[in-house]
Every structure is written in structure tokens, then in C-alpha cells.
């Protein structure tokens, strides 16, 4: 079995007090293809249970101890696969994270507290555990007039008092999935103001933040400064931009996504965008090195360097991806290399944004 070249550095997730390796496993991909809210919400490349199980085992053997999933990832499939690992390892050594809210089933709303309790109980069964380390509110749509905001926040505190969860999490600034289909960009609310309002009501211990080398610099700086001000931990998702920053996509052979794959809706996975990204990665490799591992190394550290109380979550669908991602972390690169990488990729981000909205089915002006 693969062994780590060195122990993974540790991070404490702010006031939660939970300590984790700096790199954890994002387990959305192993949920496989899926649909929710009438939209593709899964990964058509994540259908092999054998590859998923092998990837989880490699992650464990290489020192990963943080595993992030959600009730809606394959509608329980991702959780159940992690549960098979949990059953074989010391529970006190693994940090389990799940989320609630995007799957409502027959409930009035995904954040109806009775529904949240049922989903939590199901997640605990799937993961073969009696508690979660962090439980996230998966989005910030709490119904008309925020009907379910206070009830959901109180439900989370109740779960903690009962010992069912150790810490409460919520998303950083983002859009609810259906908002992009129902309102043009100029009619959408201020997502930063929205985030602050929900944060004040929920009082979370940990934030989930999307950040990578193609994220706008001002957005990244703002959310991590906010986290530091409030002493909350951060789990950074999509640090490799779902493979786009690793050179995994060939512009000469654009990817073909199957049914139930969320990438089919995203402009960055179209041939034109992949070609632009390939040009940017060529320039980046002139700064960091020519290997794929060099690209992964700088992408992970560019995120980890944002905030001392943050860990990154790397997704996977194969054990080979797990081994490469974890072994590529290595030591922190020099600050000047990180700075140059951000400059190069900042120019690429501007070129990508000039192509249009990220989601191809968004309502346009």
C-alpha cells in the first residue's frame, strides 16, 4: 500500500477546536451521476464502487483523516461508501463531515427541523457512526421570508447539545442552485450581505468556501479576513477547480460528460474554455515546474496560504488521483512563487470571465 512521503501538516479549524490534516478528501465525486432539483448534480465519472473504495483506502493509508460528504451526493451513495471505511478504522481518528438542505424529499423544505433530524439520522446510519464532527447547512435558501432560518439554526444547536454533532458549519457566499435559473444577474440579491445575515443567525464554527487560483482575488481576501475576524475554521472546496488546474482536460479531446454530471452545465468545461486554461497552465508551469504534480502542489498551497485555520478538500474518483494529490502537497513553496502563480492565473481568470457566465443555462440579461 502507498505510504506518505511525509506526514501531512495539521490545521486546527478555528474555534471548533477540531484538528485535521491540511488536505482532506472531498467525496462528492464518488456519489456518481445524479440529479436533484431537476438539474444534473453528480459525476458521471464516479460510478465505480471498486475505484471509490480503493481511493478511500489509499487516502487513509496516506494519512488523510478528514472526509467530507453530503446527504445529496448520490443520495446517500457517497456516505455509504465512506461508512464502509469508518467501520474498519478507529472512529476517534477520523473526522466526518456531512451536509443537509439540498434534498427535501417530501418535506415542506430541506431545512424543516423534522426533516433535518431524519436526514441526520440517515447520514449517521450511512456513515456507520453515532455522531458527525461537522454538520453543514448546505445552502442559504430558507424559504419565503426566511421562514426556516431560525428553526434550522436552533435545530443545529440542538443536535450539538444532544452529542449528534460536534460543530456547526455553513456555506460561504454563494448562489442557491435554482437562483441562476429564475433571475438574471442584475436581479439577484447581494450574496455577501446575504451570507453575513445568515452567519449572524447560525453562528457557525466552520465555513465551507470555494477557492482556487482562478477565484477573484478580492473575493478570496474578503472571506478569509472575515473568517479570521470571527475565529472560525474554513474548509476550502474545489482547490483544483475540479481538475481544471491539474491539466487533466485536453483541449484536443474535450471531455464528454454523461447523464447526471454537473460539469455539463459549466462553461469552463467547454472546448473554448479548456483551450484557454491550457494556455494559462503552460505559463504557470514556467513558474512552478513542468509536471502535473507541480501544478497540484501550487494549487493546494495557494489555498492553504490564505488562512492558518483552513484545510483543503480534494475530490477524487480513482485511487490514482488520491495518491497523486496527497503526495504532491510537499513543503510550502516560496512566497514569491505563490505570488507569481496568482498573478498568472488572475490574468487567466479575467479571460475566462470575459467568455460569459460560468453556468451555461443561466438567465442572461
Amino acid at each position: 500500500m502507498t505510504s506518505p512521503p511525509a506526514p501531512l501538516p495539521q490545521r486546527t479549524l478555528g474555534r471548533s477546536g477540531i484538528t485535521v490534516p491540511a488536505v482532506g478528501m472531498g467525496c462528492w465525486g464518488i456519489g456518481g451521476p445524479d440529479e436533484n432539483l431537476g438539474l444534473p448534480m453528480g459525476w458521471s465519472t464516479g460510478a465505480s464502487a471498486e475505484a471509490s473504495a480503493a481511493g478511500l483506502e489509499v487516502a487513509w493509508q496516506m494519512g488523510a483523516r478528514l472526509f467530507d460528504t453530503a446527504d445529496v451526493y448520490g443520495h446517500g451513495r457517497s456516505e455509504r461508501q465512506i461508512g464502509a471505511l469508518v467501520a474498519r478504522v478507529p472512529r476517534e481518528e477520523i473526522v466526518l463531515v456531512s451536509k443537509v438542505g439540498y434534498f427535501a424529499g417530501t418535506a415542506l423544505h430541506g431545512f424543516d427541523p423534522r426533516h433535518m433530524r431524519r436526514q441526520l439520522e440517515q447520514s449517521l446510519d450511512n456513515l456507520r457512526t453515532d455522531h458527525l464532527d461537522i454538520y453543514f447547512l448546505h445552502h442559504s435558501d430558507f424559504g419565503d421570508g426566511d421562514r426556516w432560518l431560525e428553526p434550522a439554526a436552533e435545530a443545529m444547536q440542538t443536535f450539538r447539545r444532544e452529542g449528534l454533532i460536534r460543530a456547526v458549519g455553513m456555506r460561504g457566499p454563494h448562489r442557491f442552485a435554482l437562483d441562476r435559473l429564475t433571475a438574471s444577474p442584475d436581479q439577484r440579491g447581494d450574496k455577501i450581505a446575504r451570507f453575513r445575515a445568515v452567519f449572524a443567525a447560525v453562528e457557525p464554527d466552520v465555513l465551507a468556501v470555494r477557492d482556487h487560483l482562478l477565484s477573484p482575488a478580492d473575493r478570496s481576501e474578503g472571506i478569509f479576513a472575515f473568517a479570521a475576524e470571527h475565529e472560525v475554521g474554513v474548509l476550502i472546496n474545489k482547490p483544483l477547480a475540479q481538475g481544471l488546474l491539474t491539466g487533466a482536460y485536453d483541449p484536443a479531446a474535450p471531455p464528454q460528460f454523461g447523464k447526471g454530471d454537473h460539469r455539463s452545465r459549466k462553461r469552463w468545461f467547454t472546448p473554448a474554455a479548456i483551450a484557454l486554461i491550457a494556455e494559462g497552465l503552460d505559463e504557470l508551469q514556467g513558474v512552478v515546474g513542468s509536471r502535473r504534480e507541480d501544478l497540484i502542489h501550487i494549487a493546494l498551497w495557494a489555498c492553504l496560504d490564505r488562512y492558518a485555520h483552513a484545510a483543503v478538500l480534494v475530490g477524487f474518483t480513482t485511487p490514482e488521483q488520491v495518491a497523486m494529490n496527497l503526495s504532491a502537497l510537499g513543503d510550502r513553496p516560496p512566497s514569491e512563487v505563490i505570488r507569481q502563480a496568482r498573478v498568472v492565473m488572475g490574468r487567466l481568470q479575467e479571460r475566462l470571465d470575459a467568455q460569459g457566465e460560468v453556468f451555461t443555462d443561466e438567465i442572461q440579461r
Side-chain angles (χ1 to χ4, degrees), residues 2-35:
T2 305
S3 299
L8 295 172
Q10 301 291 299
R11 293 289 179 92
T12 298
L13 299 176
R15 67 190 185 201
S16 76
I18 296 172
T19 299
V20 297
V23 180
M25 307 313 299
C27 300
W28 182 13
I30 64 174
D34 201 6
E35 293 188 1

Side-chain angles (χ1 to χ4, degrees), residues 42 83 104 107 122 134 211 242 255 261 285 321-322:
Q122 185 64 68
I134 312 173
D211 190 70
Q242 300 179 326
D261 196 310
Q285 286 179 313
Q321 290 172 342
V322 173

Side-chain angles (χ1 to χ4, degrees), residues 5 29 37 58 71 102 119 124 145 153 156 158 192 204 221 237 263 285 287 309 320 326 330 337 341-342 346 361 363:
L37 304 176
V58 168
D71 60 355
Y102 255 122
Q119 290 301 105
L124 295 176
M156 288 298 227
T158 298
I192 303 299
E221 292 166 0
N237 54 61
R263 290 170 291 182
Q285 286 179 313
V287 175
H309 299 287
E320 292 78 16
L326 292 179
V337 172
R342 287 178 176 158
D361 53 9
I363 289 179

Side-chain angles (χ1 to χ4, degrees), residues 236-256:
I236 301 174
N237 54 61
K238 304 180 181 66
L240 304 179
Q242 300 179 326
L244 290 169
L245 292 177
T246 71
Y249 297 96
D250 182 356
Q256 300 294 318

Side-chain angles (χ1 to χ4, degrees), residues 11-339:
R11 293 289 179 92
T12 298
L13 299 176
R15 67 190 185 201
S16 76
I18 296 172
T19 299
V20 297
V23 180
M25 307 313 299
C27 300
W28 182 13
I30 64 174
D34 201 6
E35 293 188 1
N36 192 53
L37 304 176
L39 297 170
M41 290 284 193
W43 294 74
S44 60
T45 53
S48 169
E50 294 77 13
S52 300
L56 291 167
E57 181 64 24
V58 168
W60 179 262
Q61 294 296 333
M62 294 188 70
R65 294 295 183 267
L66 168 62
F67 295 82
D68 175 273
T69 184
D71 60 355
V72 77
Y73 295 170
H75 286 80
R77 186 172 186 272
S78 173
E79 290 181 333
R80 289 190 294 272
Q81 292 188 101
I82 299 168
L85 173 67
V86 174
R88 297 186 288 103
V89 303
R91 175 63 182 89
E92 66 275 10
E93 294 184 18
I94 193 168
V95 175
L96 297 176
V97 180
S98 195
K99 311 176 191 74
V100 66
Y102 255 122
F103 174 67
T106 59
L108 288 173
H109 193 276
F111 289 137
D112 180 328
R114 294 168 297 178
H115 173 73
M116 290 174 62
R117 181 173 290 276
R118 289 191 291 268
Q119 290 301 105
L120 174 56
E121 291 172 349
Q122 185 64 68
S123 290
L124 295 176
D125 287 346
N126 288 342
L127 290 164
R128 305 192 197 185
T129 185
D130 62 358
H131 72 281
L132 295 177
D133 295 283
I134 312 173
Y135 200 34
F136 273 87
L137 298 170
H138 206 168
H139 60 80
S140 59
D141 180 353
F142 293 90
D144 292 342
D146 278 343
R147 172 183 176 183
W148 301 104
L149 177 52
E150 289 190 12
E154 177 55 34
M156 288 298 227
Q157 298 304 327
T158 298
F159 298 154
R160 175 155 49 188
R161 287 193 295 270
E162 294 175 355
L164 298 175
I165 66 174
R166 293 174 61 196
V168 176
M170 65 168 276
R171 293 280 292 272
H174 74 291
R175 300 285 181 200
F176 181 61
L178 294 183
D179 286 352
R180 301 178 184 278
L181 305 180
T182 58
S184 60
D186 60 328
Q187 294 177 328
R188 297 172 192 160
D190 183 337
K191 66 180 180 181
I192 303 299
R194 176 63 180 163
F195 160 75
R196 288 177 174 271
V198 175
F199 183 94
V202 174
E203 298 183 336
D205 308 291
V206 183
L207 296 176
V209 174
R210 185 186 70 219
D211 190 70
H212 47 67
L213 278 169
L214 294 174
S215 299
D218 58 344
R219 187 187 73 189
S220 296
E221 292 166 0
I223 189 61
F224 289 110
F226 181 92
E229 177 186 354
H230 293 274
E231 300 181 338
V232 295
V234 176
L235 294 182
I236 301 174
N237 54 61
K238 304 180 181 66
L240 304 179
Q242 300 179 326
L244 290 169
L245 292 177
T246 71
Y249 297 96
D250 182 356
Q256 300 294 318
F257 301 119
K259 183 179 180 182
D261 196 310
H262 73 285
R263 290 170 291 182
S264 63
R265 301 176 54 228
K266 295 183 177 179
R267 193 177 305 279
W268 284 10
F269 292 94
T270 62
I274 290 173
L276 271 183
I277 291 169
E279 293 176 8
L281 292 181
D282 284 343
E283 184 179 357
L284 179 62
Q285 286 179 313
V287 175
V288 303
S290 60
R291 304 175 306 155
R292 178 168 292 181
E293 290 90 335
D294 296 324
L295 292 175
I296 297 170
H297 178 241
I298 191 64
L300 296 180
W301 276 107
C303 290
L304 289 172
D305 201 52
R306 292 287 190 193
Y307 181 45
H309 299 287
V312 295
L313 299 169
V314 290
F316 72 98
T317 55
T318 69
E320 292 78 16
Q321 290 172 342
V322 173
M324 178 174 288
N325 291 339
L326 292 179
S327 62
L329 180 64
D331 295 329
R332 180 185 180 276
S335 296
E336 178 59 19
V337 172
I338 295 176
R339 188 196 68 79

